[in-house]
Amino acid sequence: MGLKKLLAASVAVAAFSAGAAGALAGSLSSWGPERHGYYFGLEAGWSSVNDSSIDGTGLVDLQFENQRAGFLTFGHAFDGNWRLELEGGYRENDLEKVNFVHVGSGQLREYSGFVNVLKDVTLSSRFLLDFGVGVGMDNVRFKDNLARKDGDTVIAAQGIVGLTYRLADHWDLDATYRYLWADDPSIKLGALPEGNMQITKQTVTLGLRYGYDDPPPPPAPPPAPAPAPAPMAKQFIIFFGFNKCNITAEADAVLSEAAAAAKSSGAASVRIVGHTDTVGSDKYNQKLSECRANAAKTNLVGKGVAEGAISTSGKGESELMVQTGDGVKEPQNRRATVDLQ
């Protein structure tokens, strides 16, 4: 494969990977935190060499056994699930057939170094689909079945597709497929003329990556809502002595609370209603209930509540808190209610 063809193939793989990654990124939700920071990786697996030949030597068909491969990587994860990494690789395959005839010896070894650019597309909180390309150098060492050997170092490129599983904050498990193109290394075997060897390879590996920065701490839970303020009392009740409408010390304390509540809440109006027990005539009790309401009003005005905001009325014995017969001295019926509105 010529250099122009190699670069063209690299560009094609890059375009395909970027397009596929972009399409998936646009259609999948981004679940889970991104990785950031430096990491190391170790992979091992299976290597396959596509049928090869060495031009001009009569070796028109070279077939190899599927054997081992291993890789070391060192990289950095960036925002947007992009990774840049250095890769060192080793691939080894025994020679199986020469010109369609089985042979008992021979080997192809490759030592490679790549710079890879990869995009991780999030599938779920733990799974990512990886697309990438790499450009680097491939050191090819070939020995045929007659123990003739030679080697060359050439430019190489690779396409990468993988699946990553996040094991923990700093650990990833990955399965990776690579397709490698080498730029036709020049091979000279004994008395045979020098020729260019056609090499393309596929590898499938399992590996572990370790590193990355500590993940950001989870967002702090929202502060607990402040407890709702206790509802302000809208009604206050004061009580009077028998046949009295003067404000007692206990009633004064309650009216102080009512005045404070009216001023702090900006009550638009204060309604005071006086009441009596059933002792006495209806007419007398009506006047007594009005006296009690007016006494409460005077007290509130003295405590700073606007006089114009206060209305008063008396109900006599018509609205008893405790139902009694006529002529009963019931303390809870001798009252006035103060309603804030």
Side-chain angles (χ1 to χ4, degrees), residues 114-170:
F114 281 90
V115 177
N116 299 325
V117 177
L118 302 107
K119 171 68 174 179
D120 299 327
V121 178
T122 304
L123 300 178
S124 72
S125 60
R126 290 189 179 270
F127 282 98
L128 300 96
L129 192 60
D130 314 319
F131 294 90
V133 293
V135 177
M137 305 298 292
D138 190 27
N139 176 253
V140 179
R141 302 180 185 185
F142 175 66
K143 179 174 70 174
D144 71 3
N145 56 311
L146 301 178
R148 297 173 294 188
K149 57 185 178 181
D150 193 20
D152 193 10
T153 300
V154 295
I155 295 175
Q158 64 180 354
I160 305 169
V161 179
L163 184 66
T164 294
Y165 178 76
R166 292 177 172 175
L167 290 171
D169 287 344
H170 298 281

Side-chain angles (χ1 to χ4, degrees), residues 32-322:
E34 294 182 350
R35 298 291 204 203
H36 295 90
Y38 292 98
Y39 64 87
F40 296 89
L42 177 63
E43 302 173 42
W46 166 87
S47 172
S48 171
V49 184
N50 296 331
D51 290 357
S52 180
S53 64
I54 303 177
D55 297 341
T57 63
L59 301 178
V60 297
D61 181 77
L62 300 173
Q63 298 181 32
F64 297 86
E65 295 180 2
N66 299 330
Q67 289 184 306
R68 65 192 66 88
F71 301 91
L72 288 172
T73 58
F74 172 71
H76 190 280
F78 299 90
D79 288 344
N81 278 335
W82 287 98
R83 290 188 283 123
L84 178 67
E85 69 179 21
L86 300 176
E87 172 196 296
Y90 174 76
R91 298 168 174 87
E92 179 181 310
N93 299 86
D94 289 340
L95 184 62
E96 182 180 18
K97 292 182 181 180
V98 175
N99 295 341
F100 309 103
V101 177
H102 281 276
V103 296
S105 60
Q107 192 175 68
L108 176 66
R109 290 185 179 180
E110 291 176 72
Y111 301 87
S112 60
F114 281 90
V115 177
N116 299 325
V117 177
L118 302 107
K119 171 68 174 179
D120 299 327
V121 178
T122 304
L123 300 178
S124 72
S125 60
R126 290 189 179 270
F127 282 98
L128 300 96
L129 192 60
D130 314 319
F131 294 90
V133 293
V135 177
M137 305 298 292
D138 190 27
N139 176 253
V140 179
R141 302 180 185 185
F142 175 66
K143 179 174 70 174
D144 71 3
N145 56 311
L146 301 178
R148 297 173 294 188
K149 57 185 178 181
D150 193 20
D152 193 10
T153 300
V154 295
I155 295 175
Q158 64 180 354
I160 305 169
V161 179
L163 184 66
T164 294
Y165 178 76
R166 292 177 172 175
L167 290 171
D169 287 344
H170 298 281
W171 288 94
D172 286 344
L173 175 68
D174 60 273
T176 305
Y177 169 82
R178 292 174 174 85
Y179 193 99
L180 176 143
W181 298 266
D183 187 26
D184 299 347
S186 178
I187 302 295
K188 179 72 170 69
L189 298 175
L192 296 177
E194 184 174 345
N196 291 324
M197 188 175 189
Q198 313 299 319
I199 293 183
T200 57
K201 276 195 166 186
Q202 303 176 70
T203 57
V204 175
T205 60
L206 287 176
L208 286 171
R209 289 195 296 268
Y210 172 77
Y212 308 110
D213 298 335
D214 289 330
M232 183 172 293
K234 296 297 185 181
Q235 185 179 79
F236 299 83
I237 302 176
I238 59 174
F239 296 93
F240 295 85
F242 175 71
N243 201 27
K244 303 289 185 181
C245 63
N246 61 298
I247 302 299
T248 66
E250 293 81 0
D252 184 70
V254 174
L255 290 172
S256 294
E257 294 179 15
K263 290 185 286 186
S264 65
S265 66
S269 64
V270 179
R271 181 171 177 265
I272 305 175
V273 180
H275 302 270
T276 69
D277 59 23
T278 59
V279 177
S281 67
D282 290 344
K283 183 178 179 180
Y284 180 83
N285 284 336
Q286 177 62 34
K287 289 183 179 181
L288 182 58
S289 67
E290 292 172 0
C291 179
R292 289 171 175 172
N294 289 326
K297 175 180 177 179
T298 300
N299 186 281
L300 289 178
V301 171
K303 290 178 166 48
V305 180
E307 182 176 2
I310 304 174
S311 64
T312 62
S313 63
K315 296 293 184 179
E317 59 181 85
S318 63
E319 294 181 1
L320 300 176
M321 179 182 289
V322 177

